[in-house]
Amino acid sequence: KRQAKKLRFQAALRGGYDSNINSSANNAVASTFGNLNGAVNYRFGSPRLLLNADLTGGITQYFNAGNNQSLQGVIGLGLSVEYRFSPRLVLTYNTSTSFQQQPNPGLIGTSQNQNGSYIFSANSFSGAYQWSDLFTTVTRLNYTFNYYLEQSLNNQQGFNQPGFGQSFRWLVKPTTTAVLDYNTDLYDYSQQGNTSWGQSLSAGFDHIFNPKWFWNFRGGAEFRTFQNANQDGTYIGPYVDSNFSWAFAKASSLSWVAHVGTQPAGQQNVSFSPAFRTGLNYSQGLTAKLRFNSGVFYLLQYFQDSQNGPNGQLIDYNQSTIQGNIDFSYEINRILQLALGYQYIASMCEKVPSQEYNRGISYLQLKAAF
């Protein structure tokens, strides 16, 4: 029997204050702002097909934009499709594509210091085949790209990243699966002679403590060859993936993700960047209608032979980015929700001070969901 189709709508009106709308160290511009955003979600389910689609968008008006664009927008499309081709074979397709005009530390490989318009898209297609009750393989094809609409920026920071992955999964016990993963990908740039090809091999587990508590972990090594305008070479480093989620009470939840590896650099003449990224989110119901939400995200990148030194001198340096948020949300009724929140973003880079900045955003939001 087919499940009912579900179509949901969401709209929100937000107003607040942004302390640094252009994410700049030397040209910080503060402004009040008004934002209108919305989303449409469509879900469909049948015994063989599951589909979940999201269309999101928003527009922000800055009332003191200075030399910046006073009206900025964002639009995104998310799609997840799972099809059971046979009792043993499941096919999955996922895509997340968005047009943005502000730096977003959560988008892997994008610049944290450039607020030009860009399109970011992450796509994957996989097939999971169950060979026996205990053994399953998953084959994945991935394609990610970042395209800046301003051609000079795209030549410096835009990239294409095709990839392939193969997983081998053994059911050790009903709640624990041992996993061996192989991945390979290419960081390809518009700049000629600036590429990096890498491979990683990792082992780990997927463990379910209970229906609301799980931990997925992988650990291994990554090997890359690279070429850029300054040198060719090889890289060997650690590869770690961790995903932990726990709904430990009726109104409480905690999630943590962490990754150690490489990613596209997002800078001119640098083909890749070793990076550590981690994020922690905590949500707590305070009353039947009042909820507290918080999160922190941290990114540490290493850049080798970058031209960001004095007079274009080649230097090696680290850059850290931290993003935090807190909000209190109150359910007025079944449809309306009121939220008061604050977001903070900071970039820290001692050797390249021009890439440092601090940005705080406070807001009041009224949201309707139906």
Short mmCIF file of all heavy atoms in Angstrom, two decimals, residues 136-191:
data_model
loop_
_atom_site.label_atom_id
_atom_site.label_comp_id
_atom_site.label_asym_id
_atom_site.label_seq_id
_atom_site.Cartn_x
_atom_site.Cartn_y
_atom_site.Cartn_z
N THR A 136 27.69 -6.91 2.41
CA THR A 136 27.11 -5.95 1.45
C THR A 136 28.21 -5.08 0.88
O THR A 136 29.16 -4.72 1.59
CB THR A 136 26.05 -5.06 2.13
OG1 THR A 136 25.03 -5.87 2.70
CG2 THR A 136 25.44 -4.08 1.14
N THR A 137 28.12 -4.74 -0.40
CA THR A 137 29.02 -3.78 -1.01
C THR A 137 28.24 -2.55 -1.45
O THR A 137 27.07 -2.65 -1.85
CB THR A 137 29.76 -4.37 -2.22
OG1 THR A 137 28.80 -4.79 -3.20
CG2 THR A 137 30.63 -5.54 -1.81
N VAL A 138 28.90 -1.39 -1.37
CA VAL A 138 28.29 -0.13 -1.81
C VAL A 138 29.27 0.55 -2.76
O VAL A 138 30.42 0.82 -2.39
CB VAL A 138 27.98 0.81 -0.63
CG1 VAL A 138 27.31 2.09 -1.12
CG2 VAL A 138 27.11 0.12 0.41
N THR A 139 28.82 0.84 -3.98
CA THR A 139 29.64 1.50 -5.00
C THR A 139 29.09 2.90 -5.22
O THR A 139 27.88 3.07 -5.43
CB THR A 139 29.63 0.72 -6.32
OG1 THR A 139 30.06 -0.63 -6.06
CG2 THR A 139 30.54 1.35 -7.35
N ARG A 140 29.98 3.92 -5.19
CA ARG A 140 29.54 5.32 -5.26
C ARG A 140 30.27 6.08 -6.35
O ARG A 140 31.49 5.93 -6.53
CB ARG A 140 29.79 6.04 -3.93
CG ARG A 140 29.05 5.48 -2.73
CD ARG A 140 29.46 6.22 -1.46
NE ARG A 140 30.89 6.10 -1.21
CZ ARG A 140 31.43 5.09 -0.54
NH1 ARG A 140 30.67 4.10 -0.09
NH2 ARG A 140 32.73 5.05 -0.33
N LEU A 141 29.53 6.93 -7.04
CA LEU A 141 30.09 7.93 -7.95
C LEU A 141 29.72 9.30 -7.41
O LEU A 141 28.55 9.54 -7.07
CB LEU A 141 29.54 7.76 -9.37
CG LEU A 141 29.91 6.46 -10.10
CD1 LEU A 141 29.17 6.37 -11.42
CD2 LEU A 141 31.42 6.38 -10.33
N ASN A 142 30.71 10.20 -7.30
CA ASN A 142 30.48 11.53 -6.74
C ASN A 142 30.93 12.61 -7.73
O ASN A 142 31.88 12.40 -8.50
CB ASN A 142 31.25 11.72 -5.43
CG ASN A 142 31.02 10.61 -4.45
OD1 ASN A 142 29.90 10.38 -4.01
ND2 ASN A 142 32.08 9.89 -4.12
N TYR A 143 30.26 13.74 -7.67
CA TYR A 143 30.72 14.89 -8.45
C TYR A 143 30.34 16.17 -7.71
O TYR A 143 29.16 16.43 -7.44
CB TYR A 143 30.11 14.90 -9.84
CG TYR A 143 30.59 16.07 -10.68
CD1 TYR A 143 31.92 16.15 -11.06
CD2 TYR A 143 29.72 17.09 -11.06
CE1 TYR A 143 32.38 17.22 -11.82
CE2 TYR A 143 30.18 18.16 -11.82
CZ TYR A 143 31.50 18.21 -12.20
OH TYR A 143 31.96 19.27 -12.94
N THR A 144 31.36 16.96 -7.34
CA THR A 144 31.17 18.23 -6.66
C THR A 144 31.84 19.34 -7.47
O THR A 144 32.90 19.13 -8.05
CB THR A 144 31.80 18.18 -5.25
OG1 THR A 144 31.20 17.12 -4.50
CG2 THR A 144 31.60 19.49 -4.51
N PHE A 145 31.19 20.50 -7.54
CA PHE A 145 31.84 21.63 -8.20
C PHE A 145 31.47 22.93 -7.51
O PHE A 145 30.43 23.05 -6.86
CB PHE A 145 31.51 21.69 -9.70
CG PHE A 145 30.09 22.10 -10.02
CD1 PHE A 145 29.72 23.43 -10.11
CD2 PHE A 145 29.12 21.13 -10.25
CE1 PHE A 145 28.42 23.81 -10.42
CE2 PHE A 145 27.82 21.49 -10.56
CZ PHE A 145 27.47 22.83 -10.65
N ASN A 146 32.37 23.91 -7.66
CA ASN A 146 32.16 25.25 -7.15
C ASN A 146 32.48 26.23 -8.27
O ASN A 146 33.61 26.26 -8.76
CB ASN A 146 33.05 25.52 -5.93
CG ASN A 146 32.74 26.84 -5.27
OD1 ASN A 146 31.58 27.18 -5.08
ND2 ASN A 146 33.76 27.60 -4.93
N TYR A 147 31.49 27.01 -8.67
CA TYR A 147 31.65 27.90 -9.83
C TYR A 147 31.32 29.33 -9.42
O TYR A 147 30.22 29.63 -8.95
CB TYR A 147 30.72 27.46 -10.96
CG TYR A 147 30.79 28.33 -12.19
CD1 TYR A 147 31.80 28.14 -13.13
CD2 TYR A 147 29.86 29.34 -12.41
CE1 TYR A 147 31.87 28.95 -14.26
CE2 TYR A 147 29.92 30.14 -13.53
CZ TYR A 147 30.93 29.95 -14.46
OH TYR A 147 31.01 30.75 -15.57
N TYR A 148 32.30 30.23 -9.57
CA TYR A 148 32.09 31.65 -9.30
C TYR A 148 31.61 32.35 -10.56
O TYR A 148 32.18 32.15 -11.65
CB TYR A 148 33.38 32.30 -8.79
CG TYR A 148 33.70 31.93 -7.37
CD1 TYR A 148 34.47 30.80 -7.09
CD2 TYR A 148 33.23 32.68 -6.29
CE1 TYR A 148 34.75 30.44 -5.78
CE2 TYR A 148 33.51 32.32 -4.99
CZ TYR A 148 34.27 31.20 -4.74
OH TYR A 148 34.54 30.84 -3.45
N LEU A 149 30.58 33.18 -10.43
CA LEU A 149 30.01 33.86 -11.59
C LEU A 149 30.96 34.92 -12.13
O LEU A 149 30.94 35.23 -13.32
CB LEU A 149 28.66 34.47 -11.23
CG LEU A 149 27.60 33.47 -10.72
CD1 LEU A 149 26.26 34.15 -10.55
CD2 LEU A 149 27.46 32.28 -11.67
N GLU A 150 31.79 35.50 -11.26
CA GLU A 150 32.81 36.43 -11.72
C GLU A 150 34.00 35.62 -12.23
O GLU A 150 34.61 34.86 -11.49
CB GLU A 150 33.25 37.34 -10.57
CG GLU A 150 34.21 38.44 -11.00
CD GLU A 150 34.58 39.35 -9.84
OE1 GLU A 150 33.75 39.49 -8.92
OE2 GLU A 150 35.70 39.91 -9.86
N GLN A 151 34.34 35.78 -13.51
CA GLN A 151 35.28 34.88 -14.15
C GLN A 151 36.66 34.89 -13.49
O GLN A 151 37.31 33.85 -13.37
CB GLN A 151 35.42 35.22 -15.64
CG GLN A 151 36.09 34.14 -16.47
CD GLN A 151 35.34 32.81 -16.42
OE1 GLN A 151 34.12 32.77 -16.45
NE2 GLN A 151 36.08 31.72 -16.30
N SER A 152 37.12 36.05 -13.04
CA SER A 152 38.44 36.10 -12.42
C SER A 152 38.47 35.28 -11.14
O SER A 152 39.46 34.60 -10.84
CB SER A 152 38.83 37.55 -12.12
OG SER A 152 37.91 38.15 -11.21
N LEU A 153 37.38 35.32 -10.37
CA LEU A 153 37.31 34.51 -9.16
C LEU A 153 37.23 33.03 -9.50
O LEU A 153 37.83 32.18 -8.83
CB LEU A 153 36.10 34.91 -8.31
CG LEU A 153 36.15 36.28 -7.65
CD1 LEU A 153 34.84 36.57 -6.96
CD2 LEU A 153 37.30 36.36 -6.68
N ASN A 154 36.48 32.70 -10.55
CA ASN A 154 36.35 31.28 -10.91
C ASN A 154 37.70 30.70 -11.33
O ASN A 154 38.03 29.56 -11.03
CB ASN A 154 35.33 31.13 -12.03
CG ASN A 154 34.97 29.68 -12.28
OD1 ASN A 154 34.57 28.96 -11.38
ND2 ASN A 154 35.14 29.23 -13.51
N ASN A 155 38.49 31.51 -12.04
CA ASN A 155 39.81 31.03 -12.46
C ASN A 155 40.72 30.78 -11.25
O ASN A 155 41.60 29.92 -11.29
CB ASN A 155 40.47 32.06 -13.39
CG ASN A 155 39.83 32.08 -14.76
OD1 ASN A 155 39.22 31.11 -15.18
ND2 ASN A 155 39.94 33.20 -15.46
N GLN A 156 40.51 31.54 -10.17
CA GLN A 156 41.37 31.40 -8.99
C GLN A 156 40.86 30.35 -8.01
O GLN A 156 41.65 29.64 -7.40
CB GLN A 156 41.46 32.75 -8.27
CG GLN A 156 42.12 33.85 -9.08
CD GLN A 156 42.04 35.18 -8.36
OE1 GLN A 156 41.77 35.25 -7.17
NE2 GLN A 156 42.25 36.27 -9.09
N GLN A 157 39.53 30.25 -7.84
CA GLN A 157 38.99 29.48 -6.73
C GLN A 157 37.99 28.39 -7.13
O GLN A 157 37.70 27.51 -6.33
CB GLN A 157 38.31 30.43 -5.74
CG GLN A 157 39.28 31.46 -5.17
CD GLN A 157 38.57 32.55 -4.39
OE1 GLN A 157 37.36 32.63 -4.37
NE2 GLN A 157 39.34 33.42 -3.76
N GLY A 158 37.44 28.45 -8.33
CA GLY A 158 36.48 27.44 -8.75
C GLY A 158 37.14 26.09 -8.98
O GLY A 158 38.32 26.01 -9.33
N PHE A 159 36.40 24.99 -8.77
CA PHE A 159 36.98 23.66 -8.96
C PHE A 159 35.90 22.67 -9.37
O PHE A 159 34.70 22.88 -9.17
CB PHE A 159 37.67 23.18 -7.68
CG PHE A 159 36.73 22.92 -6.52
CD1 PHE A 159 36.11 21.69 -6.36
CD2 PHE A 159 36.48 23.91 -5.58
CE1 PHE A 159 35.25 21.45 -5.31
CE2 PHE A 159 35.62 23.68 -4.52
CZ PHE A 159 35.00 22.45 -4.38
N ASN A 160 36.35 21.54 -9.94
CA ASN A 160 35.54 20.37 -10.21
C ASN A 160 36.14 19.20 -9.45
O ASN A 160 37.37 19.05 -9.40
CB ASN A 160 35.50 20.04 -11.70
CG ASN A 160 34.84 21.13 -12.51
OD1 ASN A 160 33.62 21.24 -12.55
ND2 ASN A 160 35.65 21.97 -13.16
N GLN A 161 35.30 18.33 -8.89
CA GLN A 161 35.80 17.22 -8.09
C GLN A 161 35.01 15.95 -8.39
O GLN A 161 34.07 15.60 -7.68
CB GLN A 161 35.72 17.55 -6.59
CG GLN A 161 36.31 16.48 -5.68
CD GLN A 161 36.10 16.78 -4.21
OE1 GLN A 161 35.66 17.87 -3.84
NE2 GLN A 161 36.41 15.83 -3.36
N PRO A 162 35.39 15.22 -9.44
CA PRO A 162 34.78 13.90 -9.65
C PRO A 162 35.43 12.88 -8.72
O PRO A 162 36.60 13.00 -8.36
CB PRO A 162 35.11 13.59 -11.12
CG PRO A 162 36.36 14.37 -11.38
CD PRO A 162 36.31 15.60 -10.52
N GLY A 163 34.66 11.87 -8.30
CA GLY A 163 35.19 10.89 -7.37
C GLY A 163 34.50 9.54 -7.49
O GLY A 163 33.41 9.42 -8.06
N PHE A 164 35.15 8.52 -6.93
CA PHE A 164 34.63 7.16 -6.92
C PHE A 164 34.92 6.53 -5.56
O PHE A 164 35.98 6.78 -4.96
CB PHE A 164 35.30 6.32 -8.02
CG PHE A 164 35.05 4.85 -7.91
CD1 PHE A 164 33.87 4.29 -8.39
CD2 PHE A 164 35.98 4.01 -7.31
CE1 PHE A 164 33.62 2.93 -8.28
CE2 PHE A 164 35.75 2.64 -7.20
CZ PHE A 164 34.56 2.10 -7.68
N GLY A 165 33.99 5.74 -5.05
CA GLY A 165 34.19 5.09 -3.77
C GLY A 165 33.64 3.67 -3.77
O GLY A 165 32.67 3.37 -4.47
N GLN A 166 34.28 2.82 -2.99
CA GLN A 166 33.84 1.44 -2.85
C GLN A 166 33.90 1.05 -1.38
O GLN A 166 34.94 1.19 -0.73
CB GLN A 166 34.72 0.49 -3.67
CG GLN A 166 34.29 -0.96 -3.61
CD GLN A 166 32.94 -1.20 -4.26
OE1 GLN A 166 32.73 -0.86 -5.43
NE2 GLN A 166 32.00 -1.75 -3.51
N SER A 167 32.78 0.55 -0.85
CA SER A 167 32.69 0.13 0.55
C SER A 167 32.37 -1.36 0.63
O SER A 167 31.58 -1.88 -0.17
CB SER A 167 31.59 0.92 1.29
OG SER A 167 31.92 2.28 1.41
N PHE A 168 32.99 -2.00 1.61
CA PHE A 168 32.71 -3.40 1.92
C PHE A 168 32.22 -3.45 3.37
O PHE A 168 32.90 -2.97 4.27
CB PHE A 168 33.98 -4.24 1.75
CG PHE A 168 34.60 -4.13 0.39
CD1 PHE A 168 35.57 -3.15 0.14
CD2 PHE A 168 34.22 -4.97 -0.64
CE1 PHE A 168 36.14 -3.04 -1.11
CE2 PHE A 168 34.79 -4.86 -1.90
CZ PHE A 168 35.75 -3.89 -2.13
N ARG A 169 31.04 -4.05 3.57
CA ARG A 169 30.38 -4.00 4.87
C ARG A 169 30.08 -5.41 5.38
O ARG A 169 29.46 -6.21 4.66
CB ARG A 169 29.09 -3.19 4.78
CG ARG A 169 29.31 -1.76 4.29
CD ARG A 169 27.98 -1.03 4.02
NE ARG A 169 27.15 -1.03 5.20
CZ ARG A 169 27.22 -0.14 6.19
NH1 ARG A 169 28.11 0.85 6.11
NH2 ARG A 169 26.43 -0.23 7.23
N TRP A 170 30.54 -5.72 6.60
CA TRP A 170 30.28 -7.02 7.22
C TRP A 170 29.47 -6.82 8.50
O TRP A 170 29.86 -6.04 9.38
CB TRP A 170 31.59 -7.72 7.60
CG TRP A 170 32.41 -8.15 6.43
CD1 TRP A 170 32.37 -9.34 5.78
CD2 TRP A 170 33.42 -7.36 5.78
NE1 TRP A 170 33.28 -9.37 4.76
CE2 TRP A 170 33.94 -8.16 4.73
CE3 TRP A 170 33.93 -6.07 5.96
CZ2 TRP A 170 34.95 -7.72 3.88
CZ3 TRP A 170 34.91 -5.61 5.12
CH2 TRP A 170 35.42 -6.43 4.09
N LEU A 171 28.35 -7.51 8.61
CA LEU A 171 27.52 -7.44 9.81
C LEU A 171 28.14 -8.33 10.89
O LEU A 171 28.08 -9.56 10.83
CB LEU A 171 26.10 -7.90 9.50
CG LEU A 171 25.08 -7.75 10.64
CD1 LEU A 171 24.88 -6.27 10.99
CD2 LEU A 171 23.75 -8.40 10.25
N VAL A 172 28.77 -7.71 11.89
CA VAL A 172 29.44 -8.44 12.96
C VAL A 172 28.43 -8.96 13.97
O VAL A 172 28.51 -10.11 14.43
CB VAL A 172 30.49 -7.54 13.65
CG1 VAL A 172 31.17 -8.27 14.79
CG2 VAL A 172 31.51 -7.05 12.64
N LYS A 173 27.49 -8.10 14.34
CA LYS A 173 26.37 -8.48 15.19
C LYS A 173 25.21 -7.57 14.83
O LYS A 173 25.39 -6.60 14.07
CB LYS A 173 26.74 -8.41 16.66
CG LYS A 173 27.25 -7.07 17.14
CD LYS A 173 27.65 -7.16 18.62
CE LYS A 173 28.12 -5.82 19.15
NZ LYS A 173 28.49 -5.92 20.59
N PRO A 174 24.00 -7.84 15.33
CA PRO A 174 22.84 -7.07 14.86
C PRO A 174 22.98 -5.56 14.96
O PRO A 174 22.35 -4.84 14.18
CB PRO A 174 21.71 -7.60 15.76
CG PRO A 174 22.11 -8.98 16.10
CD PRO A 174 23.61 -8.95 16.22
N THR A 175 23.80 -5.06 15.89
CA THR A 175 23.92 -3.61 16.06
C THR A 175 25.25 -3.04 15.55
O THR A 175 25.45 -1.83 15.62
CB THR A 175 23.78 -3.25 17.56
OG1 THR A 175 24.79 -3.94 18.31
CG2 THR A 175 22.41 -3.61 18.07
N THR A 176 26.14 -3.89 15.04
CA THR A 176 27.47 -3.42 14.65
C THR A 176 27.85 -3.96 13.28
O THR A 176 27.75 -5.16 13.02
CB THR A 176 28.54 -3.85 15.67
OG1 THR A 176 28.16 -3.42 16.97
CG2 THR A 176 29.89 -3.26 15.31
N THR A 177 28.31 -3.03 12.40
CA THR A 177 28.78 -3.40 11.07
C THR A 177 30.21 -2.92 10.91
O THR A 177 30.52 -1.74 11.14
CB THR A 177 27.90 -2.75 9.98
OG1 THR A 177 26.55 -3.18 10.13
CG2 THR A 177 28.39 -3.12 8.59
N ALA A 178 31.11 -3.83 10.52
CA ALA A 178 32.49 -3.46 10.21
C ALA A 178 32.55 -2.99 8.75
O ALA A 178 31.90 -3.56 7.88
CB ALA A 178 33.42 -4.64 10.42
N VAL A 179 33.35 -1.93 8.50
CA VAL A 179 33.37 -1.30 7.18
C VAL A 179 34.80 -1.08 6.71
O VAL A 179 35.66 -0.64 7.48
CB VAL A 179 32.62 0.06 7.20
CG1 VAL A 179 32.57 0.66 5.81
CG2 VAL A 179 31.22 -0.10 7.77
N LEU A 180 35.05 -1.36 5.43
CA LEU A 180 36.30 -1.03 4.76
C LEU A 180 35.97 -0.14 3.57
O LEU A 180 35.16 -0.53 2.72
CB LEU A 180 37.03 -2.29 4.30
CG LEU A 180 38.36 -2.07 3.56
CD1 LEU A 180 39.41 -1.47 4.49
CD2 LEU A 180 38.86 -3.38 2.95
N ASP A 181 36.56 1.06 3.51
CA ASP A 181 36.24 2.05 2.48
C ASP A 181 37.47 2.39 1.64
O ASP A 181 38.56 2.61 2.18
CB ASP A 181 35.73 3.36 3.11
CG ASP A 181 34.28 3.31 3.48
OD1 ASP A 181 33.59 2.36 3.06
OD2 ASP A 181 33.82 4.22 4.21
N TYR A 182 37.27 2.46 0.31
CA TYR A 182 38.28 3.00 -0.61
C TYR A 182 37.65 4.16 -1.36
O TYR A 182 36.53 4.05 -1.87
CB TYR A 182 38.76 1.93 -1.60
CG TYR A 182 39.58 2.52 -2.74
CD1 TYR A 182 40.91 2.87 -2.54
CD2 TYR A 182 38.99 2.76 -3.98
CE1 TYR A 182 41.65 3.42 -3.57
CE2 TYR A 182 39.73 3.32 -5.02
CZ TYR A 182 41.06 3.65 -4.81
OH TYR A 182 41.79 4.21 -5.83
N ASN A 183 38.37 5.29 -1.44
CA ASN A 183 37.88 6.47 -2.16
C ASN A 183 39.00 7.07 -3.00
O ASN A 183 40.16 7.07 -2.59
CB ASN A 183 37.37 7.53 -1.18
CG ASN A 183 36.12 7.11 -0.45
OD1 ASN A 183 35.02 7.15 -1.00
ND2 ASN A 183 36.27 6.69 0.80
N THR A 184 38.62 7.58 -4.16
CA THR A 184 39.57 8.31 -5.00
C THR A 184 38.84 9.50 -5.62
O THR A 184 37.65 9.42 -5.93
CB THR A 184 40.16 7.41 -6.09
OG1 THR A 184 41.11 8.16 -6.86
CG2 THR A 184 39.09 6.86 -7.02
N ASP A 185 39.55 10.62 -5.78
CA ASP A 185 38.95 11.80 -6.39
C ASP A 185 40.02 12.69 -7.01
O ASP A 185 41.22 12.51 -6.77
CB ASP A 185 38.11 12.60 -5.39
CG ASP A 185 38.90 13.06 -4.17
OD1 ASP A 185 40.14 12.98 -4.20
OD2 ASP A 185 38.27 13.49 -3.19
N LEU A 186 39.56 13.63 -7.82
CA LEU A 186 40.44 14.57 -8.52
C LEU A 186 39.98 15.98 -8.20
O LEU A 186 38.80 16.31 -8.30
CB LEU A 186 40.36 14.33 -10.03
CG LEU A 186 41.15 15.30 -10.91
CD1 LEU A 186 42.65 15.04 -10.77
CD2 LEU A 186 40.73 15.19 -12.37
N TYR A 187 40.94 16.84 -7.76
CA TYR A 187 40.68 18.27 -7.62
C TYR A 187 41.17 18.94 -8.90
O TYR A 187 42.38 19.02 -9.14
CB TYR A 187 41.42 18.87 -6.42
CG TYR A 187 41.12 18.21 -5.09
CD1 TYR A 187 42.02 18.33 -4.03
CD2 TYR A 187 39.95 17.49 -4.87
CE1 TYR A 187 41.76 17.75 -2.80
CE2 TYR A 187 39.69 16.90 -3.64
CZ TYR A 187 40.60 17.03 -2.61
OH TYR A 187 40.36 16.45 -1.39
N ASP A 188 40.25 19.41 -9.71
CA ASP A 188 40.58 19.99 -11.01
C ASP A 188 40.14 21.45 -11.03
O ASP A 188 39.01 21.78 -10.66
CB ASP A 188 39.88 19.21 -12.12
CG ASP A 188 40.24 19.72 -13.49
OD1 ASP A 188 41.42 19.97 -13.75
OD2 ASP A 188 39.32 19.88 -14.32
N TYR A 189 41.04 22.35 -11.48
CA TYR A 189 40.79 23.78 -11.44
C TYR A 189 40.81 24.38 -12.85
O TYR A 189 41.34 23.77 -13.78
CB TYR A 189 41.84 24.50 -10.59
CG TYR A 189 41.92 23.97 -9.17
CD1 TYR A 189 42.69 22.85 -8.87
CD2 TYR A 189 41.24 24.60 -8.14
CE1 TYR A 189 42.77 22.37 -7.57
CE2 TYR A 189 41.30 24.13 -6.84
CZ TYR A 189 42.07 23.01 -6.57
OH TYR A 189 42.14 22.53 -5.29
N SER A 190 40.23 25.59 -12.94
CA SER A 190 40.26 26.29 -14.22
C SER A 190 41.68 26.68 -14.60
O SER A 190 42.00 26.78 -15.79
CB SER A 190 39.38 27.55 -14.15
OG SER A 190 38.04 27.21 -13.88
N GLN A 191 42.54 26.92 -13.60
CA GLN A 191 43.94 27.22 -13.88
C GLN A 191 44.64 26.01 -14.48
O GLN A 191 44.50 24.89 -13.99
CB GLN A 191 44.67 27.60 -12.58
CG GLN A 191 44.31 28.95 -12.02
CD GLN A 191 45.07 29.20 -10.73
OE1 GLN A 191 45.21 28.32 -9.91
NE2 GLN A 191 45.55 30.42 -10.57
#
